[in-house]
Amino acid sequence: MMIALRLQLLLVLLLGGADGAWNQRQIRKKIHQLRRTENFKSFYSRLGFPNGAPSYVPPIEGLLTQPLDHFNRRNNDTYRQRYWINEEFWKRPDGPVFLFIGGESAESEFSVLAGEHVELAQKHRALLVALEHRYYGASINQDGLTLEAIRFLSSQQALADLASFHLFISQKYNLTQKNTWICFGGSYPGSLSAWFRLKFPHLVYAAVASSAPVRAELDFTDYNKVVAESLSDPVIGGSTKCLDRVKESFRIVDSMLHPGNVSILEKDFSSCSPLRAPEDYVEFVNNLADIFMGAVQYNMESPGSDVRKICEHMVNAESAYEGLKIVNSMYMDFIGLTCVENSHEKSVSDLRDTKINPVGVGERQWYYQTCTEFGYYQTCEQSSCPFSPLNTLKTQLDLCKEIFQIPPESVRQSVQFTNEFYGADHPKSSRIIFVNGDVDPWHALSVLKNQSRSEIAIFINGTAHCANMGPSRTSDPPSLQKAREEIASKISEWLRSAETTE
Ligand SMILES: *[C@@H]1O[C@H](CO)[C@@H](O)[C@H](O)[C@H]1NC(C)=O
Ligand SMILES: *[C@@H]1O[C@H](CO)[C@@H](O)[C@H](O)[C@H]1NC(C)=O
Ligand SMILES: *[C@@H]1O[C@H](CO)[C@@H](O)[C@H](O)[C@H]1NC(C)=O
Ligand SMILES: *[C@@H]1O[C@H](CO)[C@@H](O)[C@H](O)[C@H]1NC(C)=O
Ligand SMILES: *[C@@H]1O[C@H](CO)[C@@H](O)[C@H](O)[C@H]1NC(C)=O
């Protein structure tokens, strides 16, 4: 599977796209863990640890009973949805409410403890609340992943959950029209943030949508086009030479994918199992591509996602093929792997598994959402893609059929409907900030130009996925610092305008 967008770590915001390969899942998992650690550190440094006195009120964690199907009140099934509340900064009773929206992974208490939205909440004395997405993390019934039960997983149900959470919080704290709500999200939840404002303007006054792929796309060929551009972008340590070497290495690998040579590939790239069926060949080349895709999408977020370093290896190695071997083993060290799983059968059985995993990214759930709403298949059939053309739309759509019995035509129609329903990359709304980084491949599906005076696009030079969502750091590049200032100043302006227009 592809590396999805995502990272909600603290925001673990990871978006995954989808290519179905195993490495993508490993990368997402790792980034998820790292983000947690990062949030942790930032949170404790805010408290002044290890020297300062830890005088903080722990966040409230709770479970809200929600209808499983908001759109059929005769179905009385329910599930319990996890939320967090941080009252630490709140100016009672009229202070604003900042809502952090969860996405395709488990959330944690850090969703109300660290990150850009927490810094803004401190400044504006806001009540911080966060809601985990249905079917992810702990917000799922025990049988939730069966084919029968997963039907009620959708962005539309998720938005209805947010409306019902708004009611719950309003009642709990006796909120009124004077409490101005602003929502935040990054990656898929970035889209939800924009859509919550779009569809429920009476509930939320403004939204920040970071790295939000609001335009659904069946065949997301532009993802790898941006990856190619980033690999040749000198601003982040790429070069034309690097891109050429990557292309060459994949040509060589492709030429070796026949029974006479595969055993060399298995050995050189530490495959856990022999490459048997043609499906394993696809899995194998996708796994190799995932390393580059992950490095670009999460550039500089972790020691393993570093375009500069990867390009140095590719360029300095004796040959393109040797470079690819080095990059692969560097990746394995980073994740802590002794071999790479290239079995297509294994990949499919992982996605078929209905066992609930309360931590990390919900891979089965997310693939289901790609099949029923978004597509986002990160294919490689166009010449702009530097990796193997074995990664076709067909191989990815086949998974929808294989895993969820959803035929390709239905996926196609669902993607079209999603764009019709939400307005794709021209949503007609107001008071939304769309923030993107030009290195992040997902920016290709987001809003990059101002749509109106209050639907604003901020496009950051040199940053990757959801860079603005983490806590501010002194190491932030000037372009990111400037973006943070613009976001903060818009929020201040909107909060002032909410007060005067009451
Ligand atoms: C749920 O609905 C079923 C039939 O529609 C009914 O038998 C059952 O009593 C309902 N349960 C609750 C808790 O209302
Ligand atoms: C909300 O209002 C009710 C009734 O006026 C009161 O009993 C309750 O304590 C209030 N709750 C909060 C959190 O202020
Ligand atoms: C691949 O196999 C062919 C013979 O089938 C051989 O000539 C060639 O050297 C092999 N390639 C590599 C890189 O070993
Ligand atoms: C977009 O809107 C922002 C805020 O109003 C403004 O500062 C910026 O100049 C606009 N950008 C363009 C390209 O018009
Ligand atoms: C992006 O930043 C780099 C320096 O880090 C600069 O050379 C380049 O011109 C900038 N690009 C744009 C479009 O501003």
Side-chain angles (χ1 to χ4, degrees):
M1 309 242 130
M2 300 275 168
I3 302 211
L5 300 176
R6 218 285 53 343
L7 321 179
Q8 266 23 355
L9 205 279
L10 160 18
L11 320 180
V12 174
L13 317 167
L14 315 165
L15 220 193
D19 68 3
W22 189 76
N23 272 354
Q24 196 172 72
R25 300 199 279 275
Q26 308 313 309
I27 296 171
R28 277 205 288 262
K29 213 187 283 173
K30 184 76 182 181
I31 296 283
H32 188 97
Q33 285 165 1
L34 288 171
R35 295 226 173 111
R36 260 195 83 92
T37 314
E38 193 52 38
N39 288 328
F40 212 74
K41 280 199 288 208
S42 131
F43 171 63
Y44 285 108
S45 73
R46 178 161 69 74
L47 292 183
F49 280 0
N51 306 319
S55 62
Y56 90 105
V57 190
I60 299 164
E61 178 176 327
L63 292 166
L64 173 62
T65 300
Q66 291 269 24
L68 197 54
D69 183 2
H70 286 284
F71 308 117
N72 176 9
R73 292 296 167 159
R74 299 186 63 187
N75 175 351
N76 57 14
D77 292 342
T78 59
Y79 79 101
R80 300 209 298 164
Q81 186 167 29
R82 187 160 58 161
Y83 65 83
W84 289 269
I85 304 170
N86 179 359
E87 303 174 346
E88 182 184 356
F89 310 122
W90 192 35
K91 178 164 152 266
R92 291 167 191 268
D94 295 338
V97 181
F98 287 2
L99 164 65
F100 182 84
I101 301 174
E104 70 280 20
S105 62
E107 301 299 326
S108 72
E109 67 275 21
F110 290 108
S111 55
V112 292
L113 291 176
E116 178 178 59
H117 64 297
V118 175
E119 291 171 8
L120 291 167
Q122 189 162 15
K123 176 170 164 195
H124 294 289
R125 305 189 59 192
L127 178 66
L128 274 161
V129 299
L131 189 64
E132 191 168 66
H133 195 293
R134 59 166 51 207
Y135 288 83
Y136 294 93
S139 301
I140 180 168
N141 290 333
Q142 273 318 306
D143 68 348
L145 292 184
T146 63
L147 220 43
E148 170 70 13
I150 206 169
R151 286 181 294 151
F152 301 112
L153 168 58
S154 71
S155 61
Q156 296 172 34
Q157 296 278 4
L159 293 175
D161 284 337
L162 289 169
S164 132
F165 183 59
H166 183 285
L167 177 63
F168 166 73
I169 293 291
S170 300
Q171 287 173 342
K172 183 173 167 70
Y173 291 98
N174 292 336
L175 303 182
T176 67
Q177 289 294 324
K178 287 189 173 151
N179 302 95
T180 304
W181 285 63
I182 297 184
C183 58
F184 298 80
S187 208
Y188 161 51
S191 299
L192 292 173
S193 179
W195 297 336
F196 194 44
R197 168 70 193 146
L198 174 76
K199 296 289 189 188
F200 299 87
H202 55 294
L203 298 184
V204 62
Y205 190 75
V208 180
S210 301
S211 304
V214 285
R215 178 160 60 87
E217 187 155 80
L218 186 68
D219 190 351
F220 186 12
T221 54
D222 279 354
Y223 184 99
N224 282 323
K225 192 167 160 212
V226 180
V227 171
E229 283 160 13
S230 297
L231 290 172
S232 56
D233 181 357
V235 173
I236 55 167
S239 62
T240 314
K241 178 92 198 280
C242 175
L243 177 60
D244 288 345
R245 276 256 162 136
V246 173
K247 282 185 191 161
E248 189 190 341
S249 69
F250 276 85
R251 293 303 84 88
I252 297 169
V253 165
D254 279 341
S255 75
M256 293 172 69
L257 283 170
H258 56 79
N261 285 157
V262 280
S263 62
I264 303 168
L265 294 174
E266 287 161 10
K267 187 165 137 291
D268 284 350
F269 295 94
S270 309
S271 185
C272 300
S273 50
L275 303 176
R276 287 200 192 90
E279 289 80 33
D280 290 351
Y281 294 0
V282 177
E283 191 81 16
F284 172 70
V285 293
N286 283 356
N287 273 331
L288 285 175
D290 284 346
I291 301 172
F292 295 90
M293 294 158 69
V296 169
Q297 181 169 323
Y298 303 116
N299 189 37
M300 300 321 286
E301 245 192 80
S302 79
S305 20
D306 185 339
V307 171
R308 185 176 308 275
K309 199 148 90 194
I310 282 195
C311 278
E312 267 166 27
H313 286 307
M314 289 307 295
V315 170
N316 296 336
E318 230 167 82
S319 67
Y321 184 80
E322 282 302 314
L324 189 58
K325 271 167 63 178
I326 295 168
V327 167
N328 184 62
S329 63
M330 199 182 91
Y331 157 78
M332 290 174 57
D333 286 348
F334 165 59
I335 306 278
L337 300 172
T338 51
C339 63
V340 175
E341 185 56 75
N342 294 308
S343 154
H344 179 70
E345 206 182 305
K346 175 85 173 51
S347 209
V348 169
S349 82
D350 284 353
L351 288 172
R352 280 217 174 109
D353 192 354
T354 58
K355 199 161 78 264
I356 308 280
N357 176 10
V359 295
V361 182
E363 299 292 354
R364 175 173 163 87
Q365 299 93 305
W366 180 245
Y367 212 87
Y368 177 80
Q369 290 200 265
T370 69
C371 298
T372 51
E373 297 190 82
F374 306 123
Y376 292 152
Y377 301 113
Q378 297 153 337
T379 58
C380 198
E381 292 177 87
Q382 296 201 350
S383 60
S384 57
C385 177
F387 313 118
S388 171
L390 290 178
N391 175 6
T392 61
L393 182 60
K394 180 171 183 312
T395 59
Q396 311 219 11
L397 285 173
D398 284 350
L399 280 175
C400 294
K401 185 104 208 271
E402 222 173 325
I403 299 162
F404 301 112
Q405 299 163 17
I406 299 171
E409 195 39 42
S410 157
V411 183
R412 206 176 288 277
Q413 284 168 6
S414 299
V415 167
Q416 269 181 9
F417 176 73
T418 298
N419 285 332
E420 191 70 8
F421 191 79
Y422 294 120
D425 49 4
H426 293 86
K428 202 140 187 70
S429 184
S430 60
R431 287 192 294 268
I432 303 180
I433 310 174
F434 292 94
V435 193
N436 284 282
D438 68 349
V439 175
D440 177 16
W442 291 95
H443 80 238
L445 301 180
S446 194
V447 176
L448 304 179
K449 295 209 169 100
N450 290 356
Q451 299 294 296
S452 67
R453 283 207 7 233
S454 74
E455 246 188 310
I456 295 157
I458 297 178
F459 197 40
I460 313 172
N461 183 6
T463 64
H465 198 58
C466 298
N468 63 296
M469 295 196 70
S472 53
R473 294 189 256 192
T474 45
S475 58
D476 287 342
S479 58
L480 177 54
Q481 286 173 23
K482 182 160 160 284
R484 290 186 189 282
E485 281 162 23
E486 281 172 34
I487 296 164
S489 118
K490 269 293 156 201
I491 300 276
S492 302
E493 181 191 319
W494 288 340
L495 285 172
R496 275 197 308 276
S497 76
E499 270 171 34
T500 56
T501 56
E502 240 161 72

